[in-house]
Amino acid sequence: MVYSALLLGSLLASPAFAQTFRRTAACPKLGCVFPPDQTDFIAGQTFDLRIEVQAPVNGSEAYNNGQVDPNFTIQIGGEGGNLVDASEFFGLSDPQVEKYNFTYYEDLFAEDAKAPTPVNVLAKSYRNLQLHNPGTYDVVLTYNNGDTTKATWTVAPVADCKKAKNVIFFVGDGMAGSMLSAARLLGHKTINGKYQSKLKLDEAPGYGAQMTHSLDSFITDSANSASALFSGKKMTVNGLNAYTDSTGKAFGDPKVETIFEMFRRIEGGQVGIVSKAYIADATPAAVCTHTSQRSQYTTVIEQYLKGVAGNYSWFPWQGVDLLFGGGGENFLPGPGNGNVSQFDRWASEGYQVGYTKTELEAFDNAQRALAIFTQGNVSTWLDQNIYTDLLDLAVTPQGKRGARDQPGLKDMTLKAIDILHTRSKERNTGFMLMSEAALIDKEMHVLDIDRALGEVLELDDTVRATLKHLEEIGELEDTLVVVTADHGHGFDVFGSADTKYLQEQNSDRGKRNAIGTYQNSGLSAYQVPQDVLATNHTIFQSPQGDGFPVTWDPRYTIAHGWAAIPDHREDFEVNKDHERVPAVKNTTGYFFNPADNNRGFAMTGNLGVSEGQGVHSLVDVPVYAFGPGHELFRGVMNSPDLAFKVAQALDLGKTSNVTSPYKK
């Protein structure tokens, strides 16, 4: 097998950008242990253990002419105690040894010279493991004539008590704190420096921040970051609850169980997934699917329904209780799914199936449900509510042009709560729901800030409506609500822009004079009607309700900037006719799109010329919590900590193997 280990399955990078090459993710030496050093576990959390012994043929780590010593051992024991063979420790038969090879480039010079390094590998995988006793464990792999790779694992203490019966986990994909500041400015009015209303998130009794970096890179993607939030384990970019081994295969990598899966296995609870993205996308997939390559959309859909297939399964998953979002193309018959309509298949498994907001609202709350509203992503809040002619460009799940009967995030979330509440009450269980404001990230990538901020305000409105609805159905006191992001973008607001003046200027330098900073930034014109001064103290009502702009396209808009950009032009106005496409590809790479913001001034990119969109950033992202257990989410956290805090609130940690029956 020949592949570049770094680039395998990559969705976000091309070889030209790879400044840091690695032989294998999370493998500091020629002996690899997955889960790696510094891994924490929830007591009783299921996982796989994989070890690899590698021998490069050439390069800086060349060993023994590429010959792997077959005499390697893996031992485990409590900290300071005796080490015993892993098979004995877990009470398993010793697994079969795998033998294969791969190649990688050590650096850009090696790639330019087309001089790869071949690596021979011997490996073993131990499946379906659990650690029940809280404390620290030593893991030692001995290989290649006495060399060792050591890992320290820690099992967290079990909770003193169960704080919450239900959990609703909101993810604002790509939502950094700067976006919330901008959304507050658009959706809420200030008078003499005092906001007259604020975001619902501003009222959270539990408030903190979390670090988003990856296992082996300081910039993450949504697969790795969502896996960290839901399993408590850092992954490599593109990995969904599975460590990326060196095989190059999408499946069979060592897996870890998510808190949603633990909740289902231990309590038989109800689990739902809502997203405005195509539903096989990384964040919804991270709830309960396992692959090192997030692009395996057909299998992600299969895992939602049946769990991990083949020899890698753990316990009977029996399907999510509801799945709402976009991505109808992944449910249509095709070569990847045996030319079977997944809509028909899910219906045959007892799911209600719907394609519109009207059908969603008509669902029986007592039955499991699948609702897919578009091909690709569900339309943005701005297009659903302000520039609605763009809905005629949306594509239905069956492939027809025009999709006006779409729900928003609030519609999907409240219906999901009703179904999960009804079903859990009938079965005497709790429920867990993941609801993703996915299009924040999609629009930030293409620098379409107005649509992105509309999604942020929609998320805040959804959280407000969720808390109210939980109170109405009697679940507020039993439900922990967590709101966070999986990562951020390098975005901020630095002033205002006089768009009328900008349009009248004939040079880029002249257009830049339209930017007002400090005292010249003025007040938010989004909270007054057109042609009304922003200094007016009257509180005007938005046509879309409290918490939204009175007007989306004032003369004086926010002026904003980005840390990482392709070539593009900026006029700071709403793109009313289409979502932004900032750069287009020509013979030299991505360059200014002549059809995008052509009245704006040129902003030369700082990314590689093969990148046509913005990218994620390192910035810490906010964490908000309401309800029982909210106090756990204060302070600065690492992203995996959130999974442990949810598990603590639900009392998921167990000192023995616990499995409860799930009732469809």
Side-chain angles (χ1 to χ4, degrees):
M1 177 175 297
V2 179
Y3 72 99
S4 171
L6 174 70
L7 305 176
L8 176 66
S10 175
L11 301 178
L12 303 177
S14 68
F17 299 123
Q19 303 303 312
T20 304
F21 285 37
R22 57 191 57 75
R23 172 176 32 80
T24 305
C27 188
K29 302 170 70 175
L30 296 181
C32 311
V33 178
F34 307 99
D37 185 35
Q38 305 297 306
T39 298
D40 297 328
F41 296 91
I42 303 165
Q45 184 177 23
T46 308
F47 67 99
D48 295 337
L49 166 63
R50 178 177 177 82
I51 55 174
E52 296 182 4
V53 180
Q54 303 181 357
V57 175
N58 56 35
S60 62
E61 294 183 294
Y63 174 79
N64 195 29
N65 295 317
Q67 298 300 309
V68 184
D69 183 353
N71 299 310
F72 58 91
T73 61
I74 180 72
Q75 295 179 302
I76 304 177
E79 185 179 25
N82 294 328
L83 296 174
V84 300
D85 185 80
S87 296
E88 178 184 348
F89 184 89
F90 290 109
L92 300 172
S93 300
D94 202 41
Q96 183 177 357
V97 175
E98 305 168 44
K99 184 178 182 179
Y100 59 94
N101 63 78
F102 68 93
T103 66
Y104 81 107
Y105 294 108
E106 285 205 339
D107 57 22
L108 285 170
F109 296 106
E111 184 180 49
D112 289 345
K114 295 182 172 54
T117 293
V119 183
N120 294 314
V121 185
L122 296 178
K124 289 182 179 181
S125 290
Y126 300 77
R127 307 285 182 182
N128 196 19
L129 312 177
Q130 294 179 352
L131 294 170
H132 297 111
N133 297 323
T136 301
Y137 294 78
D138 293 324
V139 184
V140 179
L141 172 63
T142 304
Y143 61 96
N144 285 356
N145 197 29
D147 200 358
T148 59
T149 295
K150 298 180 181 179
T152 299
W153 295 346
T154 301
V155 177
V158 297
D160 294 330
C161 63
K162 185 180 180 70
K163 293 178 178 288
K165 183 179 71 173
N166 316 307
V167 171
I168 300 176
F169 203 128
F170 286 101
V171 177
D173 198 311
M175 183 180 69
S178 57
M179 294 203 66
L180 287 154
S181 299
R184 188 187 300 113
L185 184 72
L186 266 64
H188 300 271
K189 185 176 180 62
T190 61
I191 296 178
N192 292 333
K194 183 177 182 179
Y195 272 104
Q196 303 304 292
S197 61
K198 290 189 290 186
L199 300 170
K200 186 61 181 179
L201 296 181
D202 293 332
E203 302 174 11
Y207 175 68
Q210 50 113 343
M211 302 171 277
T212 66
H213 55 277
S214 170
L215 178 76
D216 57 349
S217 63
F218 50 76
I219 303 299
T220 186
D221 79 320
S222 291
N224 157 72
S225 53
S227 295
L229 294 173
F230 300 157
S231 72
K233 312 289 179 289
K234 294 278 191 181
M235 299 291 162
T236 293
V237 166
N238 297 321
L240 287 167
N241 305 307
Y243 292 102
T244 303
D245 62 28
S246 66
T247 63
K249 298 178 181 178
F251 305 103
D253 305 79
K255 310 182 303 298
V256 294
E257 189 177 33
T258 72
I259 51 176
F260 293 87
E261 293 176 297
M262 288 190 73
F263 177 75
R264 167 66 68 80
R265 171 173 61 84
I266 292 169
E267 298 191 9
Q270 312 296 296
V271 174
I273 303 173
V274 168
S275 177
K276 289 188 73 176
Y278 58 96
I279 205 65
D281 200 13
T283 303
V287 169
C288 60
T289 75
H290 303 267
T291 174
S292 60
Q293 300 175 18
R294 59 181 281 184
S295 59
Q296 302 293 323
Y297 302 137
T298 299
T299 305
V300 165
I301 299 300
E302 178 69 16
Q303 290 189 22
Y304 284 144
L305 185 63
K306 293 295 185 180
V308 181
N311 296 326
Y312 311 128
S313 60
W314 288 328
F315 68 95
W317 169 242
Q318 298 184 283
V320 296
D321 290 275
L322 60 91
L323 191 65
F324 299 163
E329 64 275 18
N330 295 311
F331 289 81
L332 299 176
N337 60 19
N339 291 310
V340 173
S341 167
Q342 294 303 301
F343 294 122
D344 293 344
R345 182 162 177 241
W346 283 59
S348 70
E349 294 281 348
Y351 287 84
Q352 306 169 90
V353 178
Y355 310 102
T356 64
K357 177 182 177 182
T358 302
E359 292 173 331
L360 173 74
E361 292 171 343
F363 277 162
D364 181 350
N365 291 338
Q367 300 299 316
R368 298 199 293 178
L370 170 70
I372 303 297
F373 308 103
T374 53
Q375 291 198 11
N377 303 318
V378 175
S379 295
T380 67
W381 183 93
L382 202 64
D383 296 337
Q384 288 187 7
N385 293 274
I386 309 296
Y387 304 110
T388 56
D389 287 347
L390 292 179
L391 296 177
D392 294 329
L393 302 178
V395 179
T396 68
Q398 297 81 7
K400 295 182 179 179
R401 182 71 66 179
R404 284 187 169 265
D405 192 8
Q406 296 180 47
L409 184 68
K410 180 167 67 174
D411 303 312
M412 291 190 285
T413 301
L414 296 184
K415 185 62 176 181
I417 291 171
D418 283 341
I419 292 175
L420 295 173
H421 167 64
T422 299
R423 291 177 55 77
S424 63
K425 193 172 182 179
E426 289 177 348
R427 291 160 179 78
N428 195 30
T429 68
F431 65 81
M432 290 187 72
L433 170 65
M434 195 289 295
S435 178
E436 183 198 18
L439 305 190
I440 300 172
D441 179 65
K442 308 297 185 190
E443 300 305 327
M444 292 295 282
H445 274 294
V446 296
L447 315 186
D448 199 330
I449 188 58
D450 298 289
R451 285 181 172 79
L453 291 179
E455 299 301 302
V456 175
L457 291 172
E458 181 185 35
L459 172 61
D460 189 66
D461 186 51
T462 301
V463 173
R464 186 184 306 274
T466 293
L467 294 170
K468 180 181 178 182
H469 192 58
L470 289 171
E471 184 174 22
E472 291 170 347
I473 64 176
E475 293 285 2
L476 183 63
E477 299 302 318
D478 290 326
T479 305
L480 169 63
V481 177
V482 179
V483 188
T484 191
D486 52 350
H487 59 78
H489 287 260
F491 160 87
D492 209 345
V493 174
F494 55 82
S496 65
D498 183 343
T499 58
K500 181 178 180 181
Y501 180 86
L502 187 152
Q503 292 170 19
E504 296 297 322
Q505 307 312 302
N506 296 318
S507 69
D508 278 357
R509 292 188 69 84
K511 292 176 186 294
R512 286 166 57 182
N513 288 330
I515 307 302
T517 60
Y518 297 112
Q519 72 270 23
N520 292 331
S521 64
L523 295 174
S524 174
Y526 295 88
Q527 282 297 305
V528 294
Q530 291 280 17
D531 301 322
V532 174
L533 292 176
T535 53
N536 190 300
H537 284 190
T538 304
I539 298 177
F540 297 93
Q541 294 299 310
S542 167
Q544 284 72 46
D546 294 341
F548 291 97
V550 175
T551 178
W552 271 98
D553 56 348
R555 171 180 169 179
Y556 296 94
T557 66
I558 56 171
H560 45 77
W562 311 76
I565 54 173
D567 293 339
H568 70 287
R569 302 188 71 84
E570 190 58 70
D571 64 8
F572 301 110
E573 294 190 62
V574 179
N575 287 260
K576 299 178 183 179
D577 299 326
H578 57 82
E579 295 176 85
R580 289 198 68 177
V581 181
V584 292
K585 199 169 188 178
N586 61 24
T587 55
T588 63
Y590 280 92
F591 200 67
F592 300 94
N593 180 1
D596 182 75
N597 289 4
N598 52 25
R599 296 181 299 182
F601 57 84
M603 301 185 75
T604 302
N606 57 9
L607 295 171
V609 297
S610 295
E611 180 58 74
Q613 298 186 356
V615 297
H616 302 170
S617 73
L618 179 63
V619 66
D620 292 353
V621 296
V623 180
Y624 305 91
F626 303 81
H630 70 265
E631 68 280 358
L632 300 171
F633 296 85
R634 296 170 180 160
V636 178
M637 296 160 269
N638 199 357
S639 52
D641 295 340
L642 275 72
F644 284 84
K645 293 176 186 298
V646 170
Q648 183 178 347
L650 288 172
D651 190 23
L652 291 183
K654 302 299 177 187
T655 56
S656 62
N657 189 4
V658 177
T659 301
S660 296
Y662 166 75
K663 298 179 181 179
K664 289 186 179 181

